[in-house]
Amino acid sequence: MEQNLTLNEKQVAILDSRINALTDEKIKNQDVKTLLRLGASIDVLDLGGTDCPTCHQPLSNVEARHVGPVLDVDATISLLSSQLRTFEEMRRQAQEAATESRASYRAIQRAVDTCRTEIRALQADLVVPEDFPSSGDIARRVAAEVRLSEFNRIREAVQDLLAEMQELANSIFEVRSELSALPNVTPEEDNRRRDMLQRVVREQLTDFGFSSYGATLVSIDEETLRPEREGLNLDTDASASDVVRTKIAYLNGIREVANSLRTQHPGFLMLDEPRQHELDEDHFRATLRRLARCSEVGDQVIATSAASVSALSVMLGSAPANVIDLGSQRLIRPIGREDAMEY
């Protein structure tokens, strides 16, 4: 039993190490996927290439043969997720086996200790007069009292657990009652607002030059209220520049719809460099002029850009906007620092 317990505990430790390694590998691949979505080059991931990724020299006569088919990042993440689920289930089963082995081992230890106590008492009875109380009877009585105390403690612990489970069951019943009281359909007003947001987002995507596919294929999900394309992931299905266009259109669309419906929105939006991933000048101009229309309804939009003041002024044209040149200063910096580049 002791050997079985040791083996089970070692198996749990080995599985924990493997799960940690797979988790780290999955995080690394997710980081690579994020970099690719942000516009990084995919050439470094081409393991089937015959050229050195650093010096671009041919390696056909230096390295091994062709490595064969290689999984892409998405397939690798999917494979790692599947392996993680398998090893986590194996770890759960191994932990249950270790827990059972530990309980059995402790029970055997207690039984052995009781037997040893009785044997010592019986040995003592062999050398004492007959009119003395039996040491074996005394030992058995003490062991029974100890056992009874253990059962009483276990019974009290079980009663406490039952009380906690009853409280949890009451809470579950209350939550289910509240959920059942909710309407089974989406209110018409919510559908109207979602349709307005969807229409504004599509309109902006068209103006901003969304080109991965038709802007009419982008919709607002009824559950998450976030932009999506049915059956696909926008973050990976669209180009990096179109992902930026979608985020700008979505955030600004919420502001515009909230203003028109007079809902709870601060009327303030801050964007950091909307011209990411080589957004061409015509579409960037359309984006800036759409954002500048916020002043017509009393809202405020702040957008930072690396473009020059003269270029921004030309793109804005007569749009009601203020261009502020910060120079070498930071937009946000700690209070009390005289040198803007000191931190």
Side-chain angles (χ1 to χ4, degrees), residues 26 29 33 69-83 85:
K26 182 178 178 181
N29 280 273
K33 181 178 179 180
V70 179
L71 295 177
D72 59 13
V73 177
D74 290 329
T76 301
I77 293 176
S78 177
L79 176 62
L80 291 172
S81 299
S82 177
Q83 290 180 341
R85 288 191 296 268

Side-chain angles (χ1 to χ4, degrees), residues 154-167:
I154 294 173
R155 182 180 61 183
E156 293 175 358
V158 170
Q159 290 176 347
D160 293 339
L161 289 175
L162 289 176
E164 293 180 4
M165 292 176 65
Q166 184 61 48
E167 294 179 0

Side-chain angles (χ1 to χ4, degrees), residues 20-319:
N20 292 334
L22 288 172
T23 302
D24 292 341
E25 188 68 19
K26 182 178 178 181
I27 292 175
K28 291 177 182 178
N29 280 273
Q30 288 174 335
D31 292 341
V32 171
K33 181 178 179 180
T34 301
L35 292 174
L36 294 176
R37 180 173 58 82
L38 295 176
S41 174
I42 198 175
D43 294 340
V44 295
L45 300 178
D46 185 13
L47 300 181
T50 59
D51 294 341
C52 174
T54 303
C55 64
H56 305 290
Q57 295 295 321
L59 301 175
S60 56
N61 297 326
V62 178
E63 297 293 328
R65 296 179 180 179
H66 183 65
V67 296
V70 179
L71 295 177
D72 59 13
V73 177
D74 290 329
T76 301
I77 293 176
S78 177
L79 176 62
L80 291 172
S81 299
S82 177
Q83 290 180 341
L84 272 173
R85 288 191 296 268
T86 301
F87 278 100
E88 286 172 353
E89 178 62 22
M90 293 173 59
R91 199 263 182 202
R92 184 188 64 80
Q93 296 177 1
Q95 183 63 47
E96 290 180 355
T99 302
E100 293 177 359
S101 298
R102 192 177 297 110
S104 300
Y105 180 69
R106 290 175 179 174
I108 292 175
Q109 281 185 321
R110 288 194 298 268
V112 170
D113 291 339
T114 302
C115 291
R116 287 174 178 171
T117 302
E118 293 182 358
I119 290 173
R120 285 195 295 267
L122 293 173
Q123 289 176 342
D125 286 341
L126 297 176
V127 295
V128 297
E130 293 182 357
D131 55 347
F132 273 65
S134 172
S135 299
D137 294 339
I138 295 174
R140 282 191 293 270
R141 183 178 181 85
V142 171
E145 291 179 352
V146 171
R147 190 74 170 171
L148 179 61
S149 298
E150 291 180 355
F151 285 143
N152 288 332
R153 286 196 299 270
I154 294 173
R155 182 180 61 183
E156 293 175 358
V158 170
Q159 290 176 347
D160 293 339
L161 289 175
L162 289 176
E164 293 180 4
M165 292 176 65
Q166 184 61 48
E167 294 179 0
L168 182 60
N170 294 336
S171 300
I172 293 174
F173 176 77
E174 293 176 359
V175 172
R176 287 179 175 174
S177 300
E178 294 177 359
L179 290 174
S180 62
L182 295 175
N184 294 326
V185 296
T186 304
E188 187 62 30
E189 177 62 20
D190 289 352
N191 284 329
R192 186 175 72 88
R193 294 183 181 187
R194 184 180 61 86
D195 292 340
M196 289 180 60
L197 177 59
Q198 182 173 275
R199 183 172 61 256
V200 172
V201 169
R202 288 176 176 177
E203 176 186 327
Q204 292 183 93
L205 289 177
T206 302
D207 294 340
F208 298 167
F210 187 89
S211 59
S212 293
Y213 35 81
T216 55
L217 296 178
V218 179
S219 59
I220 301 299
D221 184 74
E222 294 183 0
E223 297 293 333
T224 64
L225 297 180
R226 299 183 63 180
E228 65 161 11
R229 182 185 176 188
E230 185 176 0
L232 297 172
N233 186 346
L234 269 178
D235 287 341
T236 56
D237 184 54
S239 65
S241 59
D242 278 345
V243 170
V244 175
R245 292 182 177 95
T246 304
K247 292 179 179 179
I248 297 173
Y250 177 63
L251 296 175
N252 190 57
I254 291 177
R255 182 194 61 78
E256 292 185 2
V257 172
N259 183 275
S260 62
L261 297 176
R262 300 300 178 186
T263 59
Q264 298 297 324
H265 192 283
F268 176 79
L269 178 62
M270 178 178 287
L271 301 172
D272 182 21
E273 187 55 86
R275 194 180 186 180
Q276 296 183 31
H277 304 295
E278 304 300 327
L279 193 67
D280 62 74
E281 185 174 335
D282 292 337
H283 298 148
F284 186 46
R285 181 188 301 109
T287 302
L288 291 178
R289 294 187 178 182
R290 180 69 179 237
L291 296 175
R293 287 164 52 181
C294 68
S295 61
E296 299 175 0
V297 293
D299 289 352
Q300 184 180 22
V301 176
I302 298 177
T304 62
S305 177
S308 63
V309 175
S310 58
L312 291 173
S313 300
V314 171
M315 285 187 282
L316 284 167
S318 59

